Amino acid sequence: MSNIDINSIRNRIDSLLDSHSLHDAFAELRNAIDLSAAWELADELSAIETSYKYLIGYFIAGSADDRREQIRAEIINSLHSLTDRLTIHIEGKTSGTQYYLTRRFSPSSLESIVATYRKRKSELDLFVEAGSADTDTLRNLTVATESAEASIFDYVWTRFPLSAADAQQLEDLLADSTLPSHIKVLVVAALHQSVMQFYQESIVAMLLSLYASPCDEVSIAALCCALIAMHKYAGRVAASERIAQIVASLSDGSGSNFNRDVATIYFLLTRSRDTERLSKRMHEELLPELKRISPTIINKFKDSQSVRDITDLEANPEWRDLLESSGLQKKIEEFNEIQLSGADVFMTTFSRLKSFPFFSRLANWFLPFHTSHSTVLSSLEPGDTAVKEMILALPFLCDSDKYSFCLSMASVPEAQRRMMSSQFAQQNSMLKEMGRNLPKSREKTHEEIANRFIQNLFRFAKLNRHHTEFYDPFSTSLNLRSIAPIAPILDNADTLGIIADYFMKNEHYEEAIECFDRIMEIERDTVDASFIQKRGFCHQCMKHYHEAIDDYRKFDLFSPDNLWNITHTAACYRALRLNDQALECYRRAEAIAPENLAVCLNIGHCLLDLGKTAEALKAYYKVDYLDSAKHRALRPIAWCTFLLGNFEQSLNYYEKVLADNPSPHDYLNMGHLHLSRRDFATATGYYRQSLSAFGSKDDFMHAFTADASYLHDKGITAMETDLLLDHLAYSS
């Protein structure tokens, strides 16, 4: 039986079990077992089916049984597990994926692997304590210890189902206070990869229980893994009394700490969905712009003796003006703000540094960074202590990226590395001084650990060269509120408000509306009016203008003089071409802020759309008077005076418009003006410029045809426009 066969069968059985069609699931599974000759599974299937038939029999006989639903859930879990074991039985013999290749060559006993690791670790510790200068022996002992660590990872990752004896071995290892935290986090990551491959309730329960670990790195990593696994298997988790009890105990026993950490991880997982979008913007917007402007900067300052490095340039007024005029300053400020918010902006930077052999071992994608690792020792010189400390302290790099950084440092010439080490030493001193003055809260520490671990998971899911063989949790929305035991923890206005604001800020308006809707349900009579307004804004961005107006009008009851709310309500009316209502809103806004230029401009636009050209012109004159330097009213004044037949005044304004970055429509309107003055030759010249600026005859003709009624009002006949357009075609 091919891999495709078993995978399609597995999907069908899972679907049948999810819909509680157990009779058909038994039949499908029995047929698959017969085809694969997995006779050792046939007896188990028969025993499970017999139990299910007894359950049905007692039900038909009318026997009362409070545990009936739980028994059925256990039967469903047993069938899922049997299906997974059948999958391994078939694919384990022929599949060339990393999972099965590793499984085939993994030792058969966890106890022996752990014993080897403890022995290697003890030998390494004794050697380090002895203070020997023998670097070769140190490296060999370190590599041997790391190899044993990776073997533990591989075994745990590929062992299904995990036996009670293996689980006890892991619990003992995780509870051993003499072992470093990085091996424990590796075990957590291995359990995570195992359960993402094949579901095991016992592993999810173990991960949740590890939240009680005294080591923050283990506690938070385990909680991240448990929540992601519970999201993937939300249906099975919902039927698990065991998991529900553990979550309830943690929520009650750990109180706000557990609930707060769950909410924090929910936010971080939500934020992770924008990592690739941010990376794309970095790659396509900021970096190309930096490359484009760099020659200009170099040429501009190459003869300046006062400019020594980029910090000098940053302080130079000419440099600042160059940044601002190019638009790059705004982009840099935006990305600085994004980075300060904790978003992952280094995905693109380090994506090219994941091809080192170091990352061919799966365990290394999740390995917490520590300066005693052989990769760090071989990549950096013994005197590079400052560099090691600096990399270790960098708060915005995940562990995977820190190893990439070290590996890339190996190719840096010694002279440059010494210079970097000196600079890092100075910065380390500054960072330590700042750290003493800014003690971290427990919540902040947990957030940083979770963020770093999630970034490790994200790198693995997206950049591992075998990533298509693994389930990618970041390809979904990771809505933890879909997990039955977790939903009550997150179902509150404070948490939902934070998530909704993030969705709104990052233009995920549909998800934001869903969160705001739920907030309205929860709070009902005491809802914060700002949530109503924000929901209205999301509707407006999605062009749900009627819904947006409804929300804005509700908010108006709480704050009738809110200028932002009034103008956005007006904008929605304008989008619906309800200019009377829009004008009414803008008049209210004008009463609040009579010199607000945007309001005055929009009053003119509404009046113009309503055919009240003379009144519109008065509004535009007001704007021109208040803000003549920016010339925002030149175009509408030129157009209104044209419509009113004041051609000389219109010509005066259009000449000003054309002198300052004209658009294709500006040339078109100048052509209309001269055509209306019956200066056909001059009109043709401007139409030709408009056609060239549009770059498309279809676009030009669409714009020209849209203005036909205005030309007709000025006495230009259809024949005259036809002749002019043909003349334009012949002469172009």
Side-chain angles (χ1 to χ4, degrees):
M1 183 179 290
S2 68
N3 292 339
I4 295 176
D5 287 334
I6 185 54
N7 286 328
S8 61
I9 290 171
R10 182 185 179 190
N11 290 336
R12 285 201 301 273
I13 293 173
D14 286 344
S15 178
L16 289 168
L17 292 174
D18 290 342
S19 63
H20 299 155
S21 302
L22 269 63
H23 173 272
D24 294 341
F26 275 112
E28 189 82 43
L29 188 51
R30 186 184 307 107
N31 184 56
I33 288 174
D34 290 344
L35 288 173
S36 63
W39 310 123
E40 68 276 14
L41 302 179
D43 290 342
E44 286 188 49
L45 180 65
S46 296
I48 296 170
E49 189 168 22
T50 298
S51 297
Y52 185 57
K53 288 178 179 178
Y54 277 125
L55 181 70
I56 295 174
Y58 291 137
F59 167 71
I60 297 300
S63 300
D65 189 348
D66 294 338
R67 294 191 65 252
R68 183 175 292 132
E69 187 63 35
Q70 181 61 26
I71 293 172
R72 187 179 70 155
E74 292 171 358
I75 290 173
I76 290 173
N77 279 336
S78 296
L79 291 175
H80 276 301
S81 179
L82 204 60
T83 304
D84 291 340
R85 288 164 59 197
L86 176 63
T87 301
I88 292 174
H89 173 84
I90 296 169
E91 291 196 319
K93 299 173 183 176
T94 58
S95 176
T97 64
Q98 293 299 294
Y99 179 83
Y100 289 105
L101 287 174
T102 305
R103 180 183 171 89
R104 285 183 206 126
F105 296 102
S106 181
S108 58
S109 168
L110 178 61
E111 183 178 5
S112 63
I113 304 174
V114 171
T116 299
Y117 166 69
R118 290 183 181 277
K119 180 180 178 182
R120 298 285 179 263
K121 181 69 173 64
S122 177
E123 291 171 348
L124 176 61
D125 290 344
L126 288 172
F127 185 83
V128 171
E129 288 174 11
S132 173
D134 186 351
T135 55
D136 289 338
T137 301
L138 173 63
R139 174 171 173 75
N140 291 337
L141 289 171
T142 301
V143 170
T145 304
E146 292 164 0
S147 178
E149 291 172 350
S151 294
I152 293 174
F153 179 97
D154 289 344
Y155 181 94
V156 176
W157 162 40
T158 58
R159 198 55 43 189
F160 179 86
L162 191 69
S163 70
D166 286 343
Q168 187 59 55
Q169 282 284 331
L170 293 178
E171 288 176 8
D172 293 343
L173 186 150
L174 290 163
D176 190 340
S177 60
T178 66
L179 297 180
S181 61
H182 70 257
I183 180 60
K184 300 176 183 180
V185 174
L186 267 189
V187 170
V188 168
L191 288 167
H192 174 68
Q193 288 304 313
S194 175
V195 77
M196 297 307 275
Q197 193 84 29
F198 296 106
Y199 178 75
Q200 295 182 75
E201 182 186 71
S202 60
I203 288 183
V204 175
M206 184 185 295
L207 289 170
L208 284 170
S209 298
L210 283 172
Y211 178 76
S213 169
C215 175
D216 285 341
E217 284 77 12
V218 174
S219 171
I220 298 304
L223 183 57
C224 289
C225 293
L227 292 172
I228 292 173
M230 291 166 73
H231 179 268
K232 180 182 179 182
Y233 302 105
R236 297 193 216 182
V237 168
S240 171
E241 286 188 4
R242 180 183 180 186
I243 292 176
Q245 289 171 357
I246 295 174
V247 171
S249 175
L250 289 171
S251 183
D252 294 338
S254 301
S256 59
N257 290 336
F258 177 76
N259 295 349
R260 188 186 299 114
D261 287 338
V262 169
T264 297
I265 292 169
Y266 179 33
F267 173 75
L268 295 175
L269 290 173
T270 299
R271 188 173 67 185
S272 70
R273 66 185 295 175
D274 288 307
T275 297
E276 288 182 294
R277 180 172 64 86
L278 289 174
S279 297
K280 185 177 180 181
R281 289 186 62 196
M282 286 278 288
H283 184 68
E284 296 180 359
E285 293 182 26
L286 185 61
L287 297 181
E289 190 66 17
L290 278 170
K291 290 179 182 178
R292 183 188 68 79
I293 200 173
S294 290
T296 306
I297 297 169
I298 293 170
N299 292 333
K300 193 172 184 65
F301 297 104
K302 64 182 179 182
D303 296 326
S304 174
Q305 296 302 311
S306 63
V307 177
R308 300 298 179 190
D309 57 33
I310 194 69
T311 56
D312 291 331
L313 289 174
E314 190 175 23
N316 191 297
E318 293 182 70
W319 159 246
R320 186 171 61 249
D321 292 343
L322 185 62
L323 279 178
E324 291 176 353
S325 64
S326 70
L328 187 59
Q329 180 69 29
K330 186 176 181 181
K331 287 188 174 70
I332 291 175
E333 289 173 355
E334 180 184 354
F335 279 104
N336 280 340
E337 182 183 348
I338 291 170
Q339 182 180 335
L340 288 172
S341 73
D344 185 0
V345 297
F346 291 98
M347 178 76 169
T348 298
T349 305
F350 288 94
S351 63
R352 298 175 180 83
L353 299 177
K354 303 301 182 188
S355 58
F356 293 107
F358 174 82
F359 292 106
S360 63
R361 194 96 194 225
L362 189 74
N364 289 339
W365 287 88
F366 312 101
L367 181 66
F369 183 82
H370 57 102
T371 56
S372 60
H373 193 274
S374 60
T375 295
V376 180
L377 298 176
S378 60
S379 299
L380 300 176
E381 297 295 331
D384 290 335
T385 304
V387 178
K388 296 176 188 176
E389 291 181 357
M390 186 67 181
I391 297 172
L392 186 65
L394 288 174
F396 46 81
L397 292 187
C398 64
D399 300 296
S400 171
D401 290 349
K402 289 178 180 180
Y403 282 114
S404 294
F405 191 98
C406 279
L407 289 162
S408 64
M409 284 287 289
S411 61
V412 176
E414 184 179 351
Q416 288 180 265
R417 196 158 57 201
R418 281 203 302 268
M419 181 183 68
M420 292 174 65
S421 182
S422 175
Q423 292 175 340
F424 282 161
Q426 296 176 10
Q427 294 182 32
N428 274 342
S429 177
M430 293 172 59
L431 285 174
K432 288 177 181 177
E433 184 62 31
M434 290 172 61
R436 281 192 287 268
N437 298 328
L438 295 171
K440 289 182 183 178
S441 65
R442 180 181 185 276
E443 294 78 18
K444 188 64 177 177
T445 299
H446 281 197
E447 180 181 349
E448 289 180 356
I449 294 170
N451 191 48
R452 194 163 58 242
F453 188 78
I454 289 169
Q455 287 180 4
N456 287 339
L457 292 176
F458 194 93
R459 299 291 189 277
F460 173 74
K462 304 297 182 182
L463 302 178
N464 171 29
R465 62 193 178 99
H466 299 291
H467 70 273
T468 55
E469 298 177 10
F470 297 86
Y471 175 77
D472 179 6
F474 302 100
S475 63
T476 68
S477 66
L478 281 171
N479 180 7
L480 301 188
R481 291 186 295 119
S482 65
I483 306 170
I486 298 297
I489 296 172
L490 302 172
D491 201 33
N492 60 81
D494 290 340
T495 301
L496 291 173
I498 294 170
I499 297 296
D501 283 346
Y502 177 82
F503 279 141
M504 182 176 68
K505 183 178 180 181
N506 290 276
E507 302 177 7
H508 304 300
Y509 299 119
E510 190 171 352
E511 291 94 331
I513 289 171
E514 179 190 344
C515 290
F516 287 130
D517 285 344
R518 181 57 188 151
I519 291 171
M520 308 300 173
E521 292 177 13
I522 295 171
E523 300 213 322
R524 292 188 183 276
D525 300 328
T526 59
V527 65
D528 186 333
S530 67
F531 290 136
I532 301 173
Q533 187 186 56
K534 290 174 181 178
R535 185 176 67 177
F537 177 73
C538 293
H539 278 303
Q540 182 181 359
C541 292
M542 294 185 71
K543 299 183 179 181
H544 302 163
Y545 298 118
H546 290 291
E547 292 86 346
I549 290 170
D550 186 51
D551 278 337
Y552 288 147
R553 291 178 66 181
K554 289 177 182 176
F555 179 82
D556 195 58
L557 298 174
F558 294 93
S559 183
D561 294 330
N562 186 291
L563 184 65
W564 187 96
N565 196 70
I566 295 170
T567 55
H568 278 70
T569 307
C572 291
Y573 279 126
R574 282 209 73 206
L576 294 170
R577 299 185 182 278
L578 299 173
N579 286 293
D580 283 323
Q581 291 92 323
L583 181 60
E584 181 183 342
C585 289
Y586 283 126
R587 290 296 190 194
R588 283 181 59 199
E590 185 184 31
I592 298 169
E595 295 189 358
N596 185 294
L597 298 176
V599 170
C600 295
L601 269 175
N602 279 297
I603 287 174
H605 297 336
C606 289
L607 289 168
L608 188 60
D609 289 342
L610 289 167
K612 300 178 181 180
T613 308
E615 292 182 55
L617 185 58
K618 291 179 182 178
Y620 294 138
Y621 277 142
K622 179 179 178 180
V623 174
D624 191 45
Y625 173 76
L626 293 172
D627 192 41
S628 57
K630 293 188 177 179
H631 309 303
R632 279 189 276 186
L634 290 184
R635 284 182 176 83
I637 290 174
W639 181 249
C640 284
T641 50
F642 165 69
L643 293 180
L644 293 171
N646 192 340
F647 296 152
E648 292 304 319
Q649 191 174 5
S650 180
L651 179 62
N652 179 48
Y653 275 97
Y654 270 124
E655 285 175 347
K656 293 179 182 178
V657 169
L658 293 180
D660 183 20
N661 193 25
S663 72
H665 284 280
D666 295 329
Y667 291 119
L668 181 72
N669 292 338
M670 192 63 143
H672 293 340
L673 175 58
H674 285 287
L675 182 61
S676 300
R677 300 175 73 196
R678 311 201 69 76
D679 184 351
F680 299 113
T682 305
T684 301
Y686 282 111
Y687 285 140
R688 189 175 293 113
Q689 286 181 274
S690 178
L691 176 60
S692 175
F694 271 115
S696 163
K697 182 180 178 181
D698 288 342
D699 290 342
F700 170 80
M701 287 303 301
H702 178 77
F704 188 96
T705 304
D707 292 343
S709 61
Y710 302 118
L711 296 175
H712 182 266
D713 290 342
K714 297 296 176 285
I716 305 300
T717 66
M719 183 188 72
E720 287 174 324
T721 57
D722 290 342
L723 291 173
L724 185 141
L725 289 171
D726 282 343
H727 169 69
L728 187 63
Y730 278 118
S731 60
S732 296

